[in-house]
Amino acid sequence: MAIDLKTPHGVPNEAEGSGNGKYTKLFENLQGNILKGFARKYMRLLFLNFEGEEQEVKQWIKGLKLTSTMDQLYASKYRKLSIKKGVKPHDGGLVMNFFLSAKGYEELGFDPKKLGRKQGNKIFQEGMNSKRSLKWLGDSPTKFEKGYKEEIHALLLLADDDEQELIKKTEGIKSFLEGNGIAMVFVEEKGAALDNQKEHFGYKDGISNPRFISQDIEKEIVERTGADQWNPILPLKKILIKDPFTDRNDDNYGSFLVYRKLEQDVEGFDNKIAELAKELVLTKAQKMKGVTAEEYAGALAVGRFKDGTPLALSDTYENKMPNGDVPSPNNFTYENTDRKGRKCPFHAHIRKTNPRGQGLIPKRFITRRAIPYGKPNDSNKKGLLFMCFQSNLRAQFVFLQKAWANNPAFPRPKTGIDPVIGAGKKVEQQWPKTYNSKDKVDFYFGDFVTMRGGEYFFAPSIGFLNKIDTIK
């Protein structure tokens, strides 16, 4: 049954019995973690270079037990039921995803051009290490880790709440691949979720992700006080495209994946926050609430306090709770709350990358799926294994990074680059000296996130991967 990707409302959860079967095939053929995050605590990423004969590699791929969206929805359903019954909930078990780069498609005898010119396919074909991408994204190849300088054909993602089971499964796959000459594992990354959905700088992550599943949308609207200002719903056309290597009448869809290893200089970030804090003045409300100058300075850089409270709505913590269970407000636009950037500066990370309907600026959504690597309070390197899904590489992620985060003149002259992920001209940003004030402080903040390697991938449909050895 043909799916309308332009439908402006959420897709019903067939696993909950709320649909009429229209989306069942789509869910069965679509890899998990795209429309809904799978929320496992531990993750392994294996970056592969195919070495075996084409048919051997295809046979191995065909045999992978990939997690579909339907698998994911049923696991979530059973978890909810067990919690309701008062029994120990099942964690859903191992999650497995498989992605191909343009070079990977070519190695297997498929033409990546078929993925479509409108989707920024030329960027996909060239790869993230191309001169074009390096220039547009502001990346420096001299800072890439060794393994990411090699040609990467595929990415195998494994995740589980049981770390020992994950390690066992990962080692088994690596041993099989290399022992049978099917593929070389050039890079292995190890991710682990931090408490309360935070990343290493200490801020809650993924709050503004778009929602696609009806039940997730309803939960979002209830928990985050409505959606009359900011609508979290995104049509499927913004994340899915038809898998071109399958029958056009089948419900086989995939999505472009951007992967970037982002190393975070936490000590440098905190030291700079402390420097900025000395230039700021706290409001009476902040002092009464116990907000420190450093907490306010950090919120100015990110656009939210560490608990997720957006500066556009408050100069103090509104939802600061020990367990972090209260969802952070997300129903707001800058047009209605802070048009002049006196509360949340124009350069703040969440404002730069999501202007929220400010003026005539179009929406450039990406769907983020990231997990930290490294341990907090550890001198070893740490950061974020950043991943995001979209249907159009150039119009979504690449545009967002190039034209917004790295552009010191966006959304207006002298804004400066994004202080968290920006890479561009180092001009001083203008910071509100005190909350909702005209007084500004000129201060440069940046260079605390370094890209250590990445690639563009496509998440093929399971329908394609199940027949990969027979499709020409």
Side-chain angles (χ1 to χ4, degrees):
M1 184 183 296
I3 299 296
D4 182 7
L5 298 184
K6 298 179 182 179
T7 302
H9 53 73
V11 178
N13 186 340
E14 303 282 7
E16 297 282 359
S18 58
N20 58 6
K22 179 178 179 180
Y23 295 95
T24 298
K25 281 297 181 183
L26 181 147
F27 289 161
E28 290 175 345
N29 290 328
L30 181 68
Q31 293 195 58
N33 202 36
I34 298 176
L35 298 185
K36 180 182 177 74
F38 52 63
R40 296 295 191 275
K41 184 172 177 61
Y42 302 102
M43 182 183 294
R44 293 290 186 272
L45 301 177
L46 302 181
F47 294 84
L48 311 177
N49 182 286
F50 299 141
E51 293 187 319
E53 295 294 328
E54 182 181 302
Q55 282 301 114
E56 288 181 322
V57 176
K58 287 180 176 180
Q59 285 292 323
W60 172 74
I61 294 172
K62 182 180 179 179
L64 292 174
K65 295 181 180 179
L66 301 178
T67 304
S68 71
T69 300
M70 187 62 89
D71 294 334
Q72 185 181 354
L73 294 177
Y74 270 114
S76 179
K77 175 184 177 180
Y78 294 139
R79 182 178 178 82
K80 291 177 185 175
L81 288 174
S82 61
I83 292 174
K84 189 175 181 179
K85 292 179 180 179
V87 299
K88 183 180 179 181
H90 188 266
D91 64 11
L94 182 77
V95 167
M96 185 184 296
N97 288 156
F98 182 76
F99 313 103
L100 285 168
S101 69
K103 293 295 184 183
Y105 272 106
E106 290 176 351
E107 282 292 313
L108 297 176
F110 300 101
D111 184 359
K113 293 179 181 178
K114 287 188 176 182
L115 286 167
R117 294 178 62 185
K118 291 182 179 180
Q119 284 71 37
N121 185 263
K122 193 167 186 179
I123 299 170
F124 176 68
Q125 291 175 55
E126 294 174 346
M128 200 174 285
N129 289 352
S130 69
K131 290 183 179 180
R132 187 197 307 264
S133 272
L134 292 172
K135 179 181 178 181
W136 282 0
L137 302 182
D139 297 334
S140 172
T142 60
K143 297 179 180 180
F144 291 179
E145 293 175 358
K146 184 179 178 181
Y148 291 109
K149 295 179 182 180
E150 304 292 341
E151 185 175 282
I152 297 171
H153 295 156
L155 165 59
L156 183 65
L157 180 155
L158 304 162
D160 204 324
D161 282 330
D162 187 325
E163 186 175 20
Q164 294 307 310
E165 280 298 313
L166 178 60
I167 293 172
K168 180 180 177 181
K169 185 67 175 181
T170 302
E171 291 303 316
I173 290 174
K174 289 166 57 181
S175 177
F176 181 84
L177 287 174
E178 297 180 0
N180 290 278
I182 293 173
M184 175 69 71
V185 179
F186 274 108
V187 179
E188 178 181 354
E189 298 292 359
K190 303 174 182 179
L194 304 181
D195 292 339
N196 297 326
Q197 299 175 283
K198 291 187 176 182
E199 45 70 56
H200 284 293
F201 290 145
Y203 295 83
K204 288 189 73 172
D205 198 16
I207 295 172
S208 296
N209 257 337
R211 303 293 189 266
F212 302 93
I213 307 296
S214 300
Q215 284 79 355
D216 294 341
I217 293 166
E218 292 167 7
K219 187 171 184 284
E220 165 87 1
I221 291 173
V222 170
E223 290 186 345
R224 302 192 191 277
T225 62
D228 57 315
Q229 298 296 312
W230 183 252
N231 192 338
I233 304 173
L234 203 63
L236 295 178
K237 71 174 183 177
K238 292 294 184 179
I239 193 170
L240 302 182
I241 69 168
K242 193 76 175 66
D243 191 325
F245 302 104
T246 59
D247 191 305
R248 63 169 49 186
N249 295 318
D250 292 337
D251 289 333
N252 290 301
Y253 294 86
S255 184
F256 284 104
L257 171 70
V258 172
Y259 166 79
R260 292 164 71 77
K261 182 177 183 179
L262 304 177
E263 184 180 310
Q264 295 174 267
D265 177 6
V266 178
E267 182 179 359
F269 182 91
D270 290 343
N271 289 340
K272 202 67 173 179
I273 287 292
E275 287 183 37
L276 175 59
K278 295 176 182 178
E279 306 290 330
L280 306 176
V281 177
L282 297 179
T283 64
K284 182 179 179 180
Q286 288 174 323
K287 292 177 181 178
M288 291 177 64
K289 190 79 172 183
V291 176
T292 67
E294 286 79 9
E295 289 171 330
Y296 176 50
L300 287 174
V302 176
R304 293 182 186 268
F305 286 97
K306 288 188 175 182
D307 73 335
T309 301
L311 268 179
L313 297 182
S314 176
D315 61 340
T316 65
Y317 293 101
E318 291 296 323
N319 304 292
K320 190 175 183 181
M321 295 183 66
N323 61 9
D325 284 344
V326 176
S328 307
N330 200 42
N331 184 31
F332 70 94
T333 66
Y334 297 110
E335 191 73 13
N336 295 333
T337 61
D338 187 29
R339 292 184 66 184
K340 296 183 179 181
R342 294 177 182 174
K343 299 176 181 178
C344 178
F346 293 108
H347 63 259
H349 173 59
I350 70 166
R351 189 164 189 168
K352 262 279 198 179
T353 55
N354 185 2
R356 289 178 177 259
Q358 182 181 316
L360 298 176
I361 299 172
K363 295 180 180 179
R364 298 281 179 173
F365 283 111
I366 56 175
T367 301
R368 303 175 76 256
R369 304 284 184 243
I371 192 168
Y373 71 89
K375 297 180 179 179
N377 305 317
D378 191 323
S379 59
N380 291 324
K381 293 179 180 180
K382 58 182 71 71
L384 199 66
L385 303 177
F386 174 86
M387 291 169 279
C388 70
F389 290 103
Q390 58 259 282
S391 59
N392 190 316
L393 280 174
R394 182 166 183 172
Q396 289 172 271
F397 172 77
V398 173
F399 182 96
L400 186 152
Q401 184 74 41
K402 173 180 178 286
W404 287 359
N406 294 353
N407 183 359
F410 175 80
R412 56 180 61 191
K414 299 182 180 180
T415 294
I417 63 172
D418 183 320
V420 179
I421 64 167
K425 190 175 181 181
K426 298 181 181 181
V427 298
E428 292 181 326
Q429 300 103 334
Q430 295 183 330
W431 309 74
K433 190 173 182 67
T434 192
Y435 189 75
N436 202 18
S437 169
K438 293 181 181 179
D439 295 334
K440 303 287 184 181
V441 173
D442 291 336
F443 189 92
Y444 176 71
F445 194 104
D447 304 320
F448 301 111
V449 173
T450 303
M451 218 286 271
R452 293 302 187 188
E455 186 56 279
Y456 301 124
F457 296 94
F458 187 74
S461 67
I462 295 176
F464 163 66
L465 296 174
N466 284 342
K467 299 179 180 178
I468 192 170
D469 59 333
T470 58
I471 296 175
K472 300 296 183 181

